[in-house]
Coordinates of all heavy atoms in Angstrom, one line a residue:
S146 N 95.9 116.1 127.8 CA 96.8 115.8 126.8 C 97.5 114.6 127.1 O 97.7 114.3 128.4 CB 97.6 117.0 126.3 OG 98.8 117.0 127.1
A147 N 98.0 113.8 126.2 CA 98.7 112.5 126.5 C 99.6 112.2 125.3 O 99.2 112.5 124.2 CB 97.7 111.5 126.7
I148 N 100.7 111.6 125.6 CA 101.7 111.2 124.7 C 101.4 109.6 124.3 O 101.2 108.9 125.3 CB 103.2 111.5 125.2 CG1 103.2 112.9 125.4 CG2 104.1 110.9 124.2 CD1 104.6 113.4 126.0
G149 N 101.5 109.4 123.1 CA 101.1 108.0 122.6 C 102.0 107.7 121.4 O 102.6 108.6 120.7
Q150 N 102.1 106.4 121.0 CA 102.8 105.9 120.0 C 101.8 105.2 118.9 O 101.1 104.4 119.3 CB 103.9 105.0 120.4 CG 104.6 104.3 119.1 CD 105.8 103.6 119.6 OE1 106.0 103.1 120.8 NE2 106.8 103.6 118.7
W151 N 101.9 105.8 117.7 CA 101.0 105.3 116.5 C 101.9 105.0 115.4 O 102.9 105.7 115.2 CB 99.9 106.4 116.2 CG 98.9 106.7 117.2 CD1 97.7 106.1 117.4 CD2 99.0 107.7 118.2 NE1 97.0 106.6 118.5 CE2 97.9 107.6 119.0 CE3 100.0 108.7 118.6 CZ2 97.5 108.5 120.1 CZ3 99.8 109.5 119.6 CH2 98.4 109.4 120.4
G152 N 101.5 103.9 114.8 CA 102.2 103.5 113.5 C 101.2 103.3 112.4 O 100.1 103.0 112.7
G153 N 101.6 103.5 111.2 CA 100.8 103.4 110.0 C 101.3 104.0 108.8 O 102.5 104.3 108.6
V154 N 100.3 104.1 107.8 CA 100.7 104.6 106.5 C 100.7 106.0 106.4 O 99.6 106.7 106.7 CB 99.6 104.0 105.5 CG1 100.0 104.3 104.0 CG2 99.5 102.4 105.6
P155 N 101.8 106.6 106.0 CA 101.8 108.0 105.7 C 100.6 108.4 104.8 O 100.5 107.9 103.6 CB 103.0 108.4 105.1 CG 103.9 107.3 105.5 CD 103.1 106.2 105.6
F156 N 99.7 109.4 105.2 CA 98.4 109.7 104.4 C 98.8 110.3 103.1 O 98.1 109.9 102.0 CB 97.7 110.5 105.3 CG 96.1 110.5 104.8 CD1 95.6 109.3 104.2 CD2 95.4 111.8 104.8 CE1 94.1 109.4 103.9 CE2 94.1 111.9 104.4 CZ 93.5 110.6 103.8
A157 N 99.9 111.1 103.0 CA 100.2 111.6 101.6 C 100.6 110.6 100.7 O 100.2 110.6 99.5 CB 101.4 112.7 101.9
H158 N 101.2 109.6 101.1 CA 101.7 108.4 100.4 C 100.4 107.8 99.7 O 100.2 107.4 98.6 CB 102.6 107.5 101.1 CG 103.1 106.4 100.3 ND1 104.1 106.5 99.4 CD2 102.6 105.0 100.2 CE1 104.3 105.2 98.8 NE2 103.4 104.4 99.3
F159 N 99.5 107.5 100.7 CA 98.2 106.8 100.3 C 97.4 107.6 99.3 O 97.0 107.1 98.2 CB 97.4 106.6 101.6 CG 96.1 105.9 101.2 CD1 96.0 104.6 101.1 CD2 94.9 106.7 101.1 CE1 94.8 103.9 100.8 CE2 93.7 106.0 100.9 CZ 93.5 104.6 100.7
L160 N 97.3 108.9 99.4 CA 96.5 109.7 98.7 C 97.2 109.9 97.2 O 96.5 109.8 96.2 CB 96.4 111.3 99.2 CG 95.6 111.4 100.4 CD1 95.7 112.7 101.1 CD2 94.0 111.1 100.2
R161 N 98.4 109.9 97.2 CA 99.2 109.8 95.8 C 99.0 108.5 95.2 O 98.5 108.5 94.0 CB 100.6 110.1 96.0 CG 100.9 111.5 96.4 CD 102.4 111.9 96.1 NE 102.6 113.3 96.5 CZ 102.9 113.8 97.7 NH1 103.1 112.9 98.7 NH2 102.9 115.0 98.0
R162 N 99.0 107.6 95.9 CA 98.8 106.0 95.5 C 97.4 105.9 94.8 O 97.4 105.3 93.8 CB 99.1 105.2 96.6 CG 98.7 103.6 96.3 CD 99.8 102.9 95.3 NE 99.4 101.7 95.1 CZ 99.7 100.6 95.9 NH1 100.6 100.8 96.9 NH2 99.4 99.4 95.8
V163 N 96.4 106.5 95.4 CA 95.0 106.2 94.9 C 94.7 107.3 93.9 O 93.5 107.4 93.4 CB 93.9 106.1 96.0 CG1 94.3 104.9 97.0 CG2 93.9 107.4 96.8
G164 N 95.6 108.2 93.6 CA 95.3 109.3 92.6 C 94.4 110.3 93.1 O 93.5 110.7 92.3
A165 N 94.5 110.7 94.3 CA 93.6 111.8 94.9 C 93.9 113.1 94.2 O 95.1 113.3 93.9 CB 93.7 111.8 96.3
D166 N 92.8 113.9 94.0 CA 93.2 115.4 93.5 C 93.9 116.0 94.6 O 93.1 116.6 95.6 CB 91.9 115.9 93.0 CG 92.2 117.4 92.6 OD1 93.3 117.9 92.7 OD2 91.2 117.9 92.0
L167 N 95.2 116.2 94.7 CA 95.9 117.0 95.8 C 95.7 118.5 95.8 O 96.1 119.1 96.6 CB 97.3 116.6 95.7 CG 97.7 115.1 95.7 CD1 99.1 114.9 95.8 CD2 97.0 114.4 97.0
S168 N 94.9 118.9 94.8 CA 94.7 120.3 94.7 C 93.3 120.6 95.3 O 92.9 121.8 95.4 CB 94.8 120.9 93.3 OG 93.7 120.5 92.5

Side-chain angles (χ1 to χ4, degrees):
S146 85
I148 294 171
Q150 177 166 24
W151 293 269
V154 183
F156 196 38
H158 183 76
F159 178 82
L160 289 174
R161 287 197 178 89
R162 171 75 181 271
V163 297
D166 177 357
L167 305 182
S168 70

